[in-house]
Amino acid sequence: MAIFASTAPTQKGIVITVPVLVLSVSVATIMLFFLLSSLSYCDCPASAPTLQRVSGVGSDGGEFGVVKERISPTKEDIEWVKDQIRENGLHMQDNVLRKGINPRTRAQQLQDLIQYKGISHYEEPESGNHTALPCPGELLVEEHHSNYGEPWAGGRDVFEFLAESARLSPNSKVLEIGCGTLRVGLHFIRYLSPEHYHCLERDELSLMAAFRYELPSQGLLHKRPLIVRGEDMNFSNFGSGIEYDLIYASAVFLHMPDNLVWAGLERLASKLKPYDGRIFVSHNIKFCSRLGGEECTKRLTSLGLEYLGKHTHDSLLFNHYEIWFEFKRFKA
């Protein structure tokens, strides 16, 4: 049996026998297998982060796509930075005067700023024409970073825990009760889509630090967070119909009377996304435990809320852990 290939009239017929055809197909199959194997092989580290494209609709109605990356560092990340320190032979040293480095306290830095205005500066009357958003010296030397009972870096710890616990994506919506100077909020603002971070804060100096220094210096003005000055758990300025994926209060309820906390929860319950949305409260929930377990559960149920449990998370950079209490809305 033979298969003939059709050719021009001036050419002779080419005869291909069945064994030759079978052999040719076999060789082609083997070559294709090795080709596909080589293409599918990737000499990539096992710890490479997984990227996920998340689509959504912006406030202007247009569609967008963002890449969602890992939030917390992995063990491999920690080992990498330790290796860098070790390979460079680095050790902590006393922060003393040395060539090109002049250590100062924040108070000394502020005094130098007032007295010398920096190495190069414009003199009056033209000085006001070059700074688009003049910032008070107290904010420039970051005095507000010392307003907390723990290091400023702890804000990243809180963000990582909450963002992962609530399974947030950049398109999620977050409300913080008492964002202060944005120690935590900066990380949410950077991660979330524009206008998706909201905050209620009553302290004027903290708000000045947030608007006049933190947002501009971190390059986050384009994210347009909705930060409202207010108190008494009044959320009317955030609009109606919005549902949050995460609502959290870090150490805020500790300083409020119980009846105000309950009034706030009543207003917030309808703003939390049913089933998947989460409320997290830090440190303790004495506003609830003081009622007694049964009465607390009954009151939460009347608001459509359910207590899910207590969590702790450790700091990445210093010996510290925080306690968080989790709630969800169990009905639409």
Side-chain angles (χ1 to χ4, degrees):
M1 180 178 179
I3 298 177
F4 291 86
S6 177
T7 61
T10 58
Q11 294 179 329
K12 296 181 178 180
I14 300 174
V15 179
I16 303 176
T17 62
V18 171
V20 173
L21 178 62
V22 172
L23 180 61
S24 300
V25 172
S26 300
V27 171
T29 302
I30 294 172
M31 292 180 65
L32 180 61
F33 172 80
F34 283 109
L35 177 62
L36 292 176
S37 298
S38 64
L39 290 175
S40 63
Y41 174 75
C42 176
D43 187 16
C44 304
S47 61
T50 301
L51 302 181
Q52 176 184 359
R53 180 159 291 279
V54 180
S55 300
V57 179
S59 58
D60 59 356
E63 294 185 357
F64 65 88
V66 293
V67 176
K68 179 183 177 183
E69 296 188 37
R70 184 181 63 237
I71 292 175
S72 296
T74 64
K75 291 182 179 179
E76 289 80 6
D77 295 331
I78 303 300
E79 289 305 314
W80 174 84
V81 74
K82 288 181 177 179
D83 287 342
Q84 300 309 302
I85 295 171
R86 183 167 50 251
E87 290 173 7
N88 282 283
L90 303 179
H91 301 86
M92 279 302 298
Q93 305 290 334
D94 292 335
N95 191 20
V96 297
L97 181 66
R98 52 204 185 274
K99 187 175 182 179
I101 298 177
N102 179 20
R104 290 162 293 170
T105 65
R106 285 197 171 107
Q108 291 169 332
Q109 188 179 11
L110 177 59
Q111 182 57 40
D112 287 349
L113 185 63
I114 294 172
Q115 184 174 354
Y116 302 111
K117 302 182 180 65
I119 297 175
S120 301
H121 61 275
Y122 296 99
E123 298 291 349
E124 295 292 350
E126 294 85 5
S127 61
N129 300 332
H130 300 274
T131 305
L133 188 63
C135 184
E138 293 83 353
L139 302 181
L140 289 172
V141 301
E142 300 180 344
E143 285 186 348
H144 57 282
H145 283 195
S146 301
N147 288 355
Y148 301 89
E150 60 189 46
W152 179 262
R156 178 70 193 186
D157 299 322
V158 174
F159 162 72
E160 290 180 1
F161 168 75
L162 293 176
E164 292 184 336
S165 297
R167 297 179 176 85
L168 298 185
S169 72
N171 200 38
S172 300
K173 292 182 173 62
V174 173
L175 170 64
E176 180 175 3
I177 304 169
C179 56
T181 59
L182 299 179
R183 186 176 71 111
V184 179
L186 285 174
H187 302 285
F188 277 107
I189 294 168
R190 185 177 292 110
Y191 176 74
L192 296 171
S193 300
E195 302 178 9
H196 281 213
Y197 173 85
H198 295 178
C199 166
L200 180 69
E201 172 58 53
R202 70 174 186 173
D203 185 67
E204 184 174 4
L205 183 56
S206 294
L207 289 171
M208 284 293 287
F211 284 119
R212 296 287 293 275
Y213 179 76
E214 293 298 341
L215 289 174
S217 68
Q218 295 293 324
L220 295 174
L221 293 176
H222 68 286
K223 286 301 189 84
R224 300 292 196 275
L226 179 56
I227 302 173
V228 176
R229 183 185 182 187
E231 50 188 332
D232 296 334
M233 302 290 272
N234 180 3
F235 304 101
S236 59
N237 289 326
F238 294 99
S240 59
I242 187 171
E243 288 186 337
Y244 294 102
D245 300 273
L246 170 66
I247 299 172
Y248 72 97
S250 179
V252 174
F253 289 174
L254 303 178
H255 310 293
M256 291 184 182
D258 291 355
N259 61 338
L260 181 57
V261 175
W262 282 108
L265 288 175
E266 183 176 359
R267 297 163 188 163
L268 289 171
S270 62
K271 295 180 178 294
L272 184 66
K273 184 176 291 185
Y275 313 116
D276 294 329
R278 291 292 184 269
I279 293 177
F280 278 91
V281 178
S282 74
H283 292 73
N284 66 58
I285 49 173
K286 289 184 177 179
F287 66 89
C288 198
S289 59
R290 276 190 280 257
L291 295 175
E294 186 175 339
E295 181 61 28
C296 176
T297 300
K298 182 179 178 181
R299 193 157 183 180
L300 287 171
T301 302
S302 70
L303 300 178
L305 297 176
E306 177 185 351
Y307 172 62
L308 297 180
K310 173 182 174 182
H311 310 272
T312 62
H313 75 91
D314 298 330
S315 172
L316 175 67
L317 298 179
F318 59 105
N319 184 12
H320 173 77
Y321 70 89
E322 285 203 11
I323 301 171
W324 290 89
F325 299 85
E326 180 182 5
F327 303 83
K328 77 171 184 178
R329 181 181 172 189
F330 63 83
K331 61 182 180 181

